[in-house]
Structure formats: structure tokens, C-alpha cells
Amino acid sequence: MSAAPIRVLVIDDEPPIRKLLRMGLTTQGYEVLEASNGKIALEKLTEEPALIILDLGLPDIGGHELLRTIRARNEAVPIVVLSSRGDEAGKVQALDLGADDYLTKPFGMDELLARLRAALRHQLQVQGERPVFRSGDLSVDLVRRIVKVGEREVKLSPKEYDLLRVLVQHAGKVLTHRFLLRELWDELTDAQYLRVYVRQLRQKIEADPERPQYVLTETGIGYRLRAGD
């Protein structure tokens, strides 16, 4: 018996975008639900989508308000936000409200599918966290606190390890500067502290720290750890 298709709720008021997403997702085996506004989207939540694609520019309910409402009803469902180019403040706010990722319009279907897969992997990892994380040559043993690149063990300071641990726990998800500062320090600190530790971590785990393969920068927003293979 084949597995049931993954149900995706597409919330977007533009018919051409919904058509594009419906065609692209169904050809990949997804089941697509559609909502042209926030009111319909909230009604569709009763059909228990496994993924949500949310456009922030809706006609009736503000995208951020809708995101907050969805998160209050379902803490776990992965949400990928669609936003306009250059709206960094809107992206940051959406991520801080619980979105898992974002895409800037216009976007490619291959990129969207990759982001959806990463969001699903992150959800599964949170639900049943693996003791050893692997991505390429990088491995992080969260039980024994051992970090390796290939066969080489990497020695990290306590704060560097804490930063990597948070990134691993949310691998594939964009983490905002504000979120990381809250997780790593008791109170909000200058983001320069975070940049220093990211730079130090990259010096130890990246083959070329200037062209990182693991700890990726989301310009103006935060950082993302490349999801496991």
C-alpha cells in the first residue's frame, strides 16, 4: 500500500501563483488545499495540512496576524512564507512568529520543493531528535558533545558548542539574530557578539570560512545550518 500524499495548504490571493503551486506540487505527489484569503485558510486548518505555504500579502487578514493565529492552533505544522523582494523586516517578523522558512517572489519550483523537504525534515527531527547529526563531512554527537569534520575532531569553546547545538536542533530552518541571541544569552545583546561566534565556529568547521558550506548567512535576517543529508 502506498503512503498517503502529504497535504499542503497554499494560502495566496493571486490565482496565477496558486495555479503554479498546485501544478508543481501535485506533479511531485503532494495533495494541495487552496485558500485565497485568511478566513478560508483558517477553515482549511480543520483538514490538518502537513505543510503550509503562506503569502504575507492577503486581502482580509494580515499575513503576520494569520501566522500568529495558525501557530496558536498548531505549534508543529511547518510554515514556509512567501514575501516580496526586499521585505527583510517582514521576513524577520514572520520567522520570529514561528515560520520555518521563507521564499522571495519570484521563486523557482525546485527551490520551493527543497525548502518544503527541509521543513519536513526539521519537524521530524524536533519530534524525535537524533543523537548524532550529520551533514556532509560534519557530524555532531549531541549526547557525547563530540564534533567532527571527517575524521578530525573539532574542539569548540562552550559558547561555540552552544551555538552549534542550537543550529543543529533547528537544522534547515532560518534562525533570526534575535532568536539566537535569546537562546545563547540571558538577555538581548549586541548582534556583534553573535557574528563573532559564528565567525569563530566557521573557522573551525568550514573548509573555507569565507565560502561556508554548513553555517549559511541569511543576509539581514540570521543564519541557517545546512540540513542533514
Side-chain angles (χ1 to χ4, degrees), residues 66-205:
L66 181 59
L67 175 55
R68 186 183 289 109
T69 301
I70 292 172
R71 269 289 166 257
R73 297 187 183 185
N74 188 326
E75 295 181 356
V77 62
I79 301 174
V80 175
V81 160
L82 303 181
S83 65
S84 60
R85 186 171 299 279
D87 183 21
E88 288 187 358
K91 296 169 188 173
V92 170
Q93 185 179 358
L95 292 165
D96 280 336
L97 287 171
D100 292 79
D101 206 343
Y102 69 88
L103 274 176
T104 301
K105 293 182 178 180
F107 54 87
M109 184 56 62
D110 287 344
E111 182 181 10
L112 172 64
L113 291 169
R115 297 295 178 93
L116 295 181
R117 289 193 295 269
L120 283 170
R121 283 199 300 270
H122 172 248
Q123 181 195 38
L124 293 172
Q125 183 173 321
V126 169
Q127 291 174 344
E129 187 175 294
R130 293 171 294 174
V132 180
F133 168 84
R134 289 186 175 85
S135 179
D137 288 337
L138 175 67
S139 68
V140 182
D141 187 324
L142 295 171
V143 176
R144 297 188 295 163
R145 296 172 66 95
I146 295 175
V147 179
K148 288 185 176 182
V149 177
E151 296 301 316
R152 174 177 63 89
E153 185 171 340
V154 180
K155 299 298 184 184
L156 300 179
S157 71
K159 188 61 72 175
E160 291 166 355
Y161 178 81
D162 286 343
L163 169 60
L164 182 57
R165 174 182 52 79
V166 174
L167 289 167
V168 164
Q169 289 171 339
H170 300 278
K173 178 184 170 85
V174 181
L175 303 182
T176 65
H177 298 120
R178 181 182 302 173
F179 175 86
L180 287 166
L181 288 168
R182 280 203 308 258
E183 290 291 305
L184 296 168
W185 285 273
D186 291 337
E187 57 186 34
L188 291 181
T189 312
D190 192 306
Q192 185 59 30
Y193 283 92
L194 179 59
R195 296 188 188 96
V196 168
Y197 281 103
V198 168
R199 184 166 60 248
Q200 291 174 182
L201 180 60
R202 283 173 170 163
Q203 291 287 341
K204 294 183 178 181
I205 69 172

Side-chain angles (χ1 to χ4, degrees), residues 8 11 23 29 34 45 72 78 86 111 117 128 134 142 184 214:
V8 182
I11 309 170
M23 293 175 62
E34 297 182 38
L45 288 181
E111 182 181 10
R117 289 193 295 269
R134 289 186 175 85
L142 295 171
L184 296 168
Y214 300 117

